[in-house]
Amino acid sequence: MKQNALAIILGGGQGSRLAPLTQSRSKPAVPIAGKYRLVDIPISNCINSDITRMFVLTQFNSASLNQHIKNTYHFSHFSTAFVDILAAEQTPDNPTWFQGTADAVRQCMHHFMNHEFDYALILSGDQLYQMNFNEMIEAHQKSGAAISIATLPVNAKEAPEFGILKTDSKNFITSFIEKPNASLLPEWTSEVSDESKAEGRHYLASMGIYIFNKELLVELMSNQDTKDFGKEIIPQAIGKQKILSYQYEGYWTDIGNIDSFFEANLGLTDDIPKFNLFDNLSKIYTRARVLPPSKITGGSSIDKSIVAEGCIINGAKIDHSVVGIRSRIGKGSSISNSYLMGNDFYQNMEEISTNYKKGIINIGIGDRCQINNTIVDKNCRIGNDVKLIGGSHLEDKNTTLLTVKDGIIVVKKGATLPDGFEI
């Protein structure tokens, strides 16, 4: 059974809601948890489920995603396993870019059809969760469904953000509504577990994770008019096909905007995080870097934080923060409620010394900085005595150096903030 599924991971659109993190990279390539990329999540879920034939579909800023996948996912020469990137390509038959999720799959169907498979597992490239897809495929097979949709119980506050569906007593989907108005919700409750009921989660939301029988997918993709799974393919199939709701009870979050991205990363620092990085059975795979262990000196204090490998922390105070690979943090600096993505390379001692003499700011966080409620993208140069204090007192704005969204400061990739800079 495991070899019968082909995974198709959708890279998403321009990722404008995640800007400026998506200014020079695609959404699946955005760094998460200090050492991973978003695309590592669905790929790792597939590998942990022994689904090892994967396509990643992308069209925006795909260079760093290509590089990451090429450098990361190497399988045995004697294995059928692969992770291939399919970027949007204009051909005589397809002169346009991907117009939606279904259109992306349609344009790439000729690549999928070169492989034998019974089921297409269609995943999103920008979600944080740990799921055993084998259990979902088994439920799909057992029910005799043509399509299965992973669903998540949500509460009334969350429901208007999702596609909400209703099921019958056998968990087959009978109706579907995209982002319903709050006034309609009383008609859209579904049967959920007792635990979900106790938490007030009475509505079933689509997680954007689908299983299609191969024959049906081929048939549906022959219709050139449908562009999107959630808005067209699924609603149009209800009543015509057996569509199973596969209820998922674990942690899942959609990394749709800066706020949810920030919250998901800081959530990893909880005493018992909802997303477990420390799980033997659900490992998250990423690029194997040859980095030294992190060095912490000068009376530094670190609490409720994650520190990735290869960091140099000298006399800093770090609280409730994620510190990414190769980060350098200077004396007397205070980092709280923040995500530092780290750096792609080290500067050598000679370069650091020369820069110091010339008054050029080195890569990393300088001395006596205060950073709170902030995301610092990769390879930034932050001088001494810099204050980045995010919060609800700040209005949204966008400059060449940084963006403020919902009170969260995002320092742009490669930005240089001079000594004494404040916001």
Side-chain angles (χ1 to χ4, degrees):
M1 177 201 75
K2 293 168 185 173
Q3 288 304 315
N4 287 349
L6 193 69
I8 300 165
I9 300 167
L10 302 170
Q14 250 173 310
S16 51
R17 290 191 302 148
L18 258 184
L21 302 178
T22 48
Q23 202 165 290
S24 61
R25 56 169 85 89
S26 62
K27 225 183 334 182
V30 171
I32 192 164
K35 62 175 285 181
Y36 306 99
R37 306 275 190 147
L38 269 173
V39 77
D40 292 329
I41 306 303
I43 291 175
S44 297
N45 281 327
C46 286
I47 292 172
N48 291 329
S49 305
D50 290 326
I51 296 167
T52 54
R53 297 179 299 156
M54 292 165 259
F55 287 98
V56 181
L57 277 49
T58 182
Q59 67 180 337
F60 293 102
N61 286 334
S62 52
S64 65
L65 180 65
N66 283 335
Q67 190 179 16
H68 174 69
I69 285 179
K70 177 172 69 74
N71 291 334
T72 304
Y73 296 101
H74 302 154
F75 299 96
S76 161
H77 290 300
F78 303 104
S79 157
T80 58
F82 63 84
V83 182
D84 281 355
I85 288 197
L86 297 177
E89 52 187 1
Q90 293 182 323
T91 67
D93 298 330
N94 279 317
T96 60
W97 298 114
F98 299 152
Q99 303 297 304
T101 53
D103 188 58
V105 171
R106 177 184 297 108
Q107 291 197 34
C108 296
M109 276 302 285
H110 59 290
H111 295 292
F112 310 146
M113 298 305 286
N114 290 330
H115 299 268
E116 287 186 15
F117 64 99
D118 295 326
Y119 309 106
L121 174 65
I122 298 177
L123 308 171
S124 170
D126 53 5
Q127 299 173 347
L128 193 61
Y129 65 105
Q130 286 161 309
M131 183 191 283
N132 185 335
F133 295 132
N134 287 324
E135 293 173 2
M136 185 176 174
I137 292 172
E138 281 169 19
H140 176 84
Q141 287 179 318
K142 208 171 178 181
S143 70
I147 304 171
S148 288
I149 303 176
T151 57
L152 185 80
V154 296
N155 61 34
K157 184 184 173 189
E158 297 165 325
E161 297 296 313
F162 292 96
I164 299 296
L165 45 89
K166 285 183 80 165
T167 59
D168 62 18
S169 57
K170 293 182 179 175
N171 288 325
F172 286 114
I173 296 167
T174 55
S175 48
F176 178 93
I177 185 170
E178 182 76 15
K179 297 186 177 178
N181 189 291
S183 62
L184 299 173
L185 288 179
E187 303 163 27
W188 286 87
T189 57
S190 284
E191 190 55 43
V192 294
S193 68
D194 291 340
E195 188 183 338
S196 294
K197 282 178 189 168
E199 294 171 354
R201 299 189 290 147
H202 299 286
Y203 310 94
L204 282 180
S206 167
M207 294 164 64
I209 295 171
Y210 312 112
I211 295 171
F212 281 83
N213 289 353
K214 178 183 177 180
E215 298 78 15
L216 178 61
L217 185 67
V218 171
E219 181 190 323
L220 291 171
M221 291 300 102
S222 64
N223 178 359
Q224 301 289 330
D225 297 330
T226 49
K227 307 297 183 197
D228 200 83
F229 284 109
K231 293 177 185 152
E232 296 163 298
I233 296 270
I234 300 300
Q236 289 170 19
I238 290 170
K240 297 176 189 168
Q241 306 291 344
K242 284 179 82 172
I243 308 178
L244 180 73
S245 159
Y246 176 78
Q247 266 193 58
Y248 175 70
E249 294 284 339
Y251 171 77
W252 175 92
T253 186
D254 183 35
I255 310 284
N257 54 36
I258 291 293
D259 191 29
S260 61
F261 175 80
F262 189 60
E263 197 178 305
N265 277 286
L266 292 194
L268 298 171
T269 68
D270 292 346
D271 290 347
I272 302 175
K274 291 175 183 172
F275 185 86
N276 184 9
L277 291 170
F278 305 89
D279 188 333
N280 284 323
L281 299 177
S282 298
K283 291 176 184 166
I284 306 301
Y285 299 95
T286 194
R287 183 177 171 186
R289 302 173 180 90
V290 183
L291 285 174
S294 288
K295 184 167 76 168
I296 297 155
T297 61
S300 296
S301 75
I302 301 175
D303 186 43
K304 205 175 181 182
S305 297
I306 288 175
V307 179
E309 59 265 47
C311 298
I312 300 170
I313 298 168
N314 183 12
K317 182 182 179 189
I318 299 170
D319 179 56
H320 192 225
S321 295
V322 176
V323 180
I325 54 168
R326 301 187 192 89
S327 288
R328 183 187 65 78
I329 305 173
K331 283 181 189 171
S333 286
S334 169
I335 316 293
S336 57
N337 306 311
S338 293
Y339 176 21
L340 313 182
M341 289 189 179
N343 305 306
D344 289 320
F345 54 90
Y346 290 116
Q347 293 175 289
N348 60 42
M349 292 308 293
E350 187 183 339
E351 185 184 352
I352 290 171
S353 174
T354 304
N355 284 349
Y356 186 73
K357 287 171 188 167
K358 291 182 177 178
I360 297 170
I361 295 166
N362 284 304
I363 286 178
I365 313 291
D367 297 340
R368 301 176 302 279
C369 293
Q370 289 181 48
I371 297 176
N372 181 38
N373 250 48
T374 296
I375 298 169
V376 179
D377 205 333
K378 282 198 164 181
N379 306 332
C380 289
R381 297 166 185 260
I382 293 181
N384 298 328
D385 303 297
V386 169
K387 284 189 180 179
L388 302 172
I389 312 295
S392 54
H393 61 284
L394 293 179
E395 289 183 10
D396 285 7
K397 70 172 183 176
N398 182 38
T399 71
T400 53
L401 297 175
L402 54 82
T403 296
V404 179
K405 273 189 183 179
D406 301 321
I408 300 161
I409 300 168
V410 185
V411 183
K412 295 182 178 180
K413 186 177 181 180
T416 299
L417 303 186
D419 292 354
F421 182 95
E422 288 191 17
I423 178 171

